[in-house]
Amino acid sequence: MDKVMSNKKIIALYVLPALLLIITLVYVPIVLTGYYGLTQWDGIGERTFIGLANYSKLITDSLFWQSAFHSFLLAIFSVISLVAYLAVSLVLSGKIKGANLFRKIYLVPMLLSSVAIAQLWIRIYHPTNGVMNRFLESIGISNPPLWLADTSIVLFAIFIPIIWQYAGFYILIYYAALKNIPESLVEAAKIDGATPLQIAYKIKVPLIASVIKVTIVLAVVGSLKYFDLIWVMTEGGPNGASEVMASYMYKNAFKMNDFGYGSAIGFFLLLIALGVTWIIRKLTATKEEIQY
Amino acid sequence: MEKATETQTTAMLPKQKRQVARKPVLTRIASGILYLALLILAVVQILPLIWLFLFSLKNNQEVFNLAPLSLPAEPKWENYVKVWTEGNISMYFFNSVWITAVSVILTVLIASFVTFAITRMKWKLSKLVLGLFMVAMMIPVHSTLIPLFSFFTSIHLMNHPLAIILTYTAFNLPITMMILLGFYYTLPREIEEAAIMDGCSIHRLFFRIILPITTPVLATTAIINMIYNWNEYVFVNTFISSDKYKTLTVGINNFIGQYSIDWGAIGATLMISILPILFAFFVLSNRIVEGITSGSVKG
């Protein structure tokens, strides 16, 4: 039995297709991105080695830091919205009629492509015909904002559909985790006279702490690399007001043909994503896992 | 400070016990408010899509003059006919269908192979290889984009569907494996022990016994992969330049960019692009829910 199940040839045959794909298309590229960052390259011609020039340019590039700031702002927004999702899930996981239907309805936007969502929200924000300003005008606001054309609010106007898109995803995760808590624990607390709020904060939330940790990492890393919806809605504009790290990278490489600098940004993005993941895991590390 | 509130709340507990008789009324009001909040959230999540459906059935005059959520006098189904026949939408649609189908089959099969080897077979590096796949989930797509662009150019796969099929497969392997892992770990060892004792080969064991047993979880991974691939944008936008290979996301984005004045046509295009997913959701919502939760929490 053991001999059959440790046949090297068969193991290699089963593992190699997946391993080759992930190494060639994920791991080799992230190393190459770091290397291409050391070169000057227009994407077609020869690569010229220029040392750390791109990276030192990146450190002093105020446009990049502005886009990094926007990415981190999105991360902070996403984490704050997690609190609201947790609250919704706590309500939903109590004995609510139709909870299953609710969580499915919440999930619908998450299933649609970012392109479709972006194109839809471009219409929603349309200054004259969009449903947003039609509504604002109907309640008597005569000068509604221009939304995507206004540099001071475009970033937040874009955050709303992103939050709208992912709400159902996080609610679903929290709901599943809360449903896993043994009924006996909640019953015991009720007998001891705990109020529903106390049960939520002192029993349910601590019990799903590990899941909350995972969602924080997902929300932060997802925000830092966010691209699709922003690219389709504004391409980072107007005037860089909604630029994020990924859109700045894409613009430099595939619009301005500066693939060396684009690679440097891509490598930086990787370091930031991995670094932030590590920091969050350190900060939220618990000394003992809760057993129940 | 925290200590003080804590003792206060415990001191309050006996009092609340005495109020038990009044509780149902209060609870009913409170849960009424909470229920309303859940309903409002449901409306917020669904209303933009209802608005989209309604304006896909209107002409510009109706979009601009009628109330946003009103029905048109006569639904303009011709918007759908027009974008389906006049633009390249039908071509993009079928590209999405076959590229998604091929990628899903390839991903699920290759992921099953490696998950089987990691969970059922004995070899030293299995933990390391598993870690390699799990870490890949944290890597931003944009950190791989330029080298992939350069790699596909050098092997003449640029503007070729195989470039996106291979990329989809590689990037969806981790999530697919994660969903499969939970199921594979629960399979009893006795199954393969009995099979091997009877002289069954490993390939036969895998294809005739393990794969059929895992059908339910395979369906879950397939639907999750289908949603991801159907909605993918960056890779197609970067690797595919000719119309004949573009998928719906990139296709409709270009199409809408060119015909940005005709709201009915835009609405119809967007509806066509999301209908397959909405349809899959109505039929398979439990599988989708299961896939999304098991693919994210068990890490």
Side-chain angles (χ1 to χ4, degrees), chain B residues 57 96 105 113 117 133 145-146 194-195 203 208 213 228 231 254:
Chain B
L57 295 175
S96 275
I105 294 168
F113 275 131
F133 283 101
L145 216 47
I146 293 173
H203 300 308
R208 288 297 174 84
I213 295 178
Y228 284 1
N231 291 339
N254 298 349

Side-chain angles (χ1 to χ4, degrees), chain A residues 96-110:
Chain A
I96 290 274
K97 224 186 253 175
N100 198 34
L101 183 67
F102 273 127
R103 67 181 182 144
K104 283 178 187 168
I105 290 176
Y106 298 159
L107 194 64
V108 172
M110 154 91 191

